[in-house]
Amino acid sequence: MNAIILAGSTKEDKLPDKAFVKINGKYMISYVIEALRGCDKIDKIAVVGDPEKLKKVAGIDVIIEQADNIMDNVLKGVEPFKNDKRVLILTCDIPMLTKEAVCDFIEKSEATGADLCYPIVRKEDNLKKFPEAKRTYARVKEGVFTGGNIFYVNPGIIDRLIKDAKQFIAYRKKPWKLGQLLGGKILFLFLIGRLSISHIEKKAEELFNIKGKAIISKYPEIGNDVDKEEDVVMATKYLSQK
């Protein structure tokens, strides 16, 4: 399958041009490319970003000029592969990513037959591997999880998925509006600690008319993004020990 790395830079980034931040003498994005190249399930690697800067990076098959925001970057990135059965979309800021994490996620996703798969990692697994990492966690019936930075997705659903996702993003700072979109049942189950992964998957199917699955990954490397200076310090420490 083909992979699309999002490496565009926006005004909101706390770490400007983070794809080209050097960690132990190597561009951050180069670590991500190496992890993808190490998985025999990956064919072409496309990168959405600044073409002139990306020419300096080895291992890229297709360079796509970035747009002004992440949603449009996703659309531009998927365009060359819109007839693919599934593609992998990931960010450029997960330098700890490994080939094992990539292959494991793809294999588990393929087995579901879903339109969209998203990895989640147990809090205890993440803290065991990266005790100093600061992550956002959510509690569901099955445990406490943090999310990953990689998606297994059917290109055919991207247009309508992004259209609906924009509404969620617009309401991200308006909890009452977000609550209306999610529905009272989901919010109630969350408040009483009974919300399960399957509840969320079913709600996603209702909202977006897709089959979505959460993939529990045993690889914390799949989600520890580097978007602040303190994250660079942690990544430098970890990657120097490999």
Side-chain angles (χ1 to χ4, degrees), residues 48-65:
V48 184
D50 184 325
E52 288 304 312
K53 293 179 179 178
L54 289 172
K55 288 177 183 177
K56 301 181 292 184
V57 182
I60 302 174
D61 298 301
V62 182
I63 293 176
I64 301 167
E65 187 167 4

Side-chain angles (χ1 to χ4, degrees), residues 103-114:
C103 285
D104 177 74
F105 175 63
I106 293 175
E107 287 170 4
K108 289 179 177 176
S109 298
E110 286 175 336
T112 68

Side-chain angles (χ1 to χ4, degrees), residues 142-156:
E142 294 85 353
V144 180
F145 295 88
T146 188
N149 285 55
I150 183 169
F151 298 85
Y152 170 95
V153 61
N154 172 3

